[in-house]
Amino acid sequence: MKKIAIIGTGPTGIYTFYSLVKNKTPMAISLYERAEEAGVGMPYTDEDNSRMMLANIASIEIPPLFSTYLDWLKSQPKAHLARYGVEPTTLHERQFLPRILLGEYYRAQFLQLVEQAKQRGFQIAIQESCDITDIKASPEGVTLWAEGEPVSDIYDLAVIATGHVWPEEEEATRSFFPSPWSGLIEAHITAGNVGIMGISLSAIDAAMAVVVQHGTFIESDADSMAFKLNDESQSLKIALLSRSGILPEADFYCPIPYEPLLIVTELAIEREIAAGSDGLLDRVFELVLQELERADPQWSEKISLQSLNADTFSDAWFADRKNHNPFHWAVANLREVERNKREKHTVYWRYTILRLHEAVEDIVPHLTERDRERFKNGLARVFIDNYTAIPSESIRRLLALREAGILSIHALGTDYKMEVETDRTLIFSQNGDFEFDTFIDARGQQALKIRDLPFPTLRQQLETTGEDFPDVAQDYTLLEPESVRGRIAFAALPYLMHDQPFVQGITVCAEIGENIAKSASKAATQSRRRLPFIEL
């Protein structure tokens, strides 16, 4: 039997396991999970999340395993759902629900998958609370070390599916948290001035983790929410900080599965790439203009689309929000998207941008250095803003905190300085200076390089290539150095971000898992596109 090790059992590990089990030939699969329960994943564990934290993906978008997320939810006891504020009669496929519930779904699907695999003749071993501390690949196989001790088995293929990488809890202090997942959930946050760097869903989650310690959200109906602050917490103030001070949009209605693009097709992108790097960004932007103008001519005329270029398009995209108070704008945006959901109305300029980001991503490795910088500062910002739209419920909560006099938003500008001291954090910016008793850095996952790998031997092996990033095949197995070729599938998203600037989400995890399963039956032979490192 071929021996496979999967290191990490969050969504990427689960979908890889699922795809492997669909193989007609049984295998011996060992699953290693550093947490207490396999099959959940850090983004969805109750240790790292509060019940207030929402997943920004709905059942309709989640690749099903044995059942859809919605069907699983409907099978749960009413009392259990009530613990998370979920009413069974209101469940629907486009609903955003607490992250912890999604973790429970994956755990249940994982356990069902284990049983099916055994019934099909697979040998399954699950190691929970087991931290893999080193990996060594050779032509003979892959050796693992668990808690510093070598594992007896030698594997034909090891899948690194370790997920997000956040600073350890030990790096947090009573007044500074390097991420929302570095001890914040268990910490008691004293009522005072709290600063949060970022205005994405991660930052909003951090704010929720703080405010639930000091008060209660009250819903009078589906569209109205208030926040009641505890008497002893009247000094609580929370500031969300970012360079622009711009709030993301609320998640919007659109057809799923996605309709195909008509102009920015795979063939059109390949044709432009083949024409050469010089002028590539501008040529593709012309295709983007045509796609947008065809999809929504009225909006295109409103923003004078034909007068824009790859550098000025982002200014037009954010202009409305930049020129309005963020909370006033959020009220209007929330009203619009909720009406569109009720009427199942698609705003085609939004929907077109949503579909464009994956198509346009393919040009990045072929851009000149100057155009890569232009892309990062222009179109990339638009794409990221669009696909990271947040649940309407999160917007309602922000508005409730604002109405209660707790929450503010501040634009720092492009040039600011942060000083972390023992008992406070200071921010110096062109738009003012700030002092915080507690500070949370919620800017999200950063791209990682080979030097950041937590596996010393494998890191040394990869460093011999002289590259900053792993060279992986289309099935995600390592190609270099030759001694590790085809032995390790590299599926840890932070290390793939240099190759896929927009890599994110559960659907990507499922696609990666399906590709990796192919490597279990054949050697990797084709190199993936190499992208330059882009920090977004």
Side-chain angles (χ1 to χ4, degrees), residues 246-260:
I246 292 175
L247 272 175
E249 289 197 309
D251 187 79
F252 50 89
Y253 175 85
C254 67
I256 298 174
Y258 293 161
E259 298 170 354

Side-chain angles (χ1 to χ4, degrees), residues 86-144:
V86 177
E87 170 54 52
T89 59
T90 64
L91 285 170
H92 58 85
E93 64 181 0
R94 291 177 180 263
Q95 191 171 6
F96 296 100
L97 297 168
R99 292 185 183 188
I100 299 174
L101 266 179
L102 185 53
E104 292 183 7
Y105 162 75
Y106 276 118
R107 170 69 173 178
Q109 300 293 289
F110 173 78
L111 295 177
Q112 190 174 346
L113 180 55
V114 169
E115 290 306 311
Q116 186 188 83
K118 291 179 178 178
Q119 291 171 12
R120 296 187 58 184
F122 285 72
Q123 294 180 7
I124 305 298
I126 303 172
Q127 305 293 333
E128 297 175 318
S129 299
C130 182
D131 190 13
I132 296 300
T133 53
D134 204 359
I135 302 171
K136 180 181 180 179
S138 69
E140 292 72 36
V142 182
T143 302
L144 306 181

Side-chain angles (χ1 to χ4, degrees), residues 402-420:
R402 170 63 174 172
E403 191 65 24
I406 298 170
L407 185 71
S408 60
I409 293 175
H410 302 279
L412 300 178
T414 56
D415 186 21
Y416 67 88
K417 181 181 178 182
M418 181 169 70
E419 292 183 1
V420 180

Side-chain angles (χ1 to χ4, degrees), residues 193-444:
N193 290 328
V194 178
I196 300 176
M197 186 65 77
I199 312 186
S200 67
L201 186 59
S202 295
I204 295 171
D205 284 343
M208 295 306 111
V210 174
V211 298
V212 294
Q213 300 184 29
H214 298 284
T216 307
F217 285 98
I218 302 169
E219 291 188 62
S220 55
D221 56 55
D223 297 319
S224 180
M225 182 180 294
F227 184 79
K228 181 174 175 54
L229 193 62
N230 297 337
D231 291 340
E232 65 274 18
S233 299
Q234 293 300 312
S235 59
L236 178 65
K237 301 292 180 185
I238 297 178
L240 299 182
L241 312 167
S242 76
R243 286 187 171 90
S244 66
I246 292 175
L247 272 175
E249 289 197 309
D251 187 79
F252 50 89
Y253 175 85
C254 67
I256 298 174
Y258 293 161
E259 298 170 354
L261 294 167
L262 300 178
I263 296 171
V264 187
T265 62
E266 183 177 354
L267 181 60
I269 291 294
E270 289 176 355
R271 186 184 303 119
E272 295 302 335
I273 291 172
S277 296
D278 289 342
L280 175 59
L281 177 61
D282 296 306
R283 294 196 305 272
V284 169
F285 184 73
E286 285 300 318
L287 298 179
V288 169
L289 291 187
Q290 294 174 37
E291 191 82 58
L292 284 166
E293 196 156 50
R294 189 185 190 285
D296 201 325
Q298 186 175 356
W299 178 79
S300 299
E301 183 178 357
K302 177 183 176 182
I303 68 165
S304 302
L305 185 62
Q306 284 299 326
S307 69
L308 303 176
N309 57 42
D311 304 303
T312 59
F313 180 69
S314 63
D315 294 332
W317 177 269
F318 292 108
D320 194 30
R321 277 177 273 179
K322 190 174 181 179
N323 293 330
H324 289 82
N325 175 286
F327 296 104
H328 295 168
W329 180 89
V331 170
N333 174 248
L334 182 61
R335 187 182 301 118
E336 178 208 346
V337 298
E338 289 302 294
R339 180 178 65 250
N340 292 340
K341 289 175 184 177
R342 290 191 299 270
E343 299 173 357
K344 296 185 177 180
H345 171 68
T346 300
V347 177
Y348 270 91
W349 56 268
R350 286 194 185 106
Y351 184 40
T352 302
I353 289 292
L354 180 62
R355 291 173 291 157
L356 277 168
H357 81 269
E358 291 182 356
V360 174
E361 181 183 50
D362 288 343
I363 74 171
V364 177
H366 308 280
L367 294 174
T368 64
E369 184 175 347
R370 175 177 176 273
D371 282 351
R372 289 198 300 268
E373 189 69 18
R374 292 173 61 207
F375 180 78
K376 182 184 75 171
N377 294 327
L379 276 178
R381 293 181 59 226
V382 172
F383 290 141
I384 293 170
D385 174 72
N386 178 260
Y387 71 64
T388 56
I390 62 179
S392 293
E393 186 79 356
S394 297
I395 297 292
R396 292 191 188 95
R397 291 170 178 172
L398 289 182
L399 293 173
L401 293 174
R402 170 63 174 172
E403 191 65 24
I406 298 170
L407 185 71
S408 60
I409 293 175
H410 302 279
L412 300 178
T414 56
D415 186 21
Y416 67 88
K417 181 181 178 182
M418 181 169 70
E419 292 183 1
V420 180
E421 300 183 354
T422 304
D423 57 353
R424 64 177 183 169
T425 297
L426 304 174
I427 301 288
F428 305 96
S429 79
Q430 59 197 62
N431 294 326
D433 301 335
F434 306 88
E435 179 179 336
F436 299 105
D437 305 307
T438 303
F439 195 83
I440 306 160
D441 192 336
R443 286 176 288 186

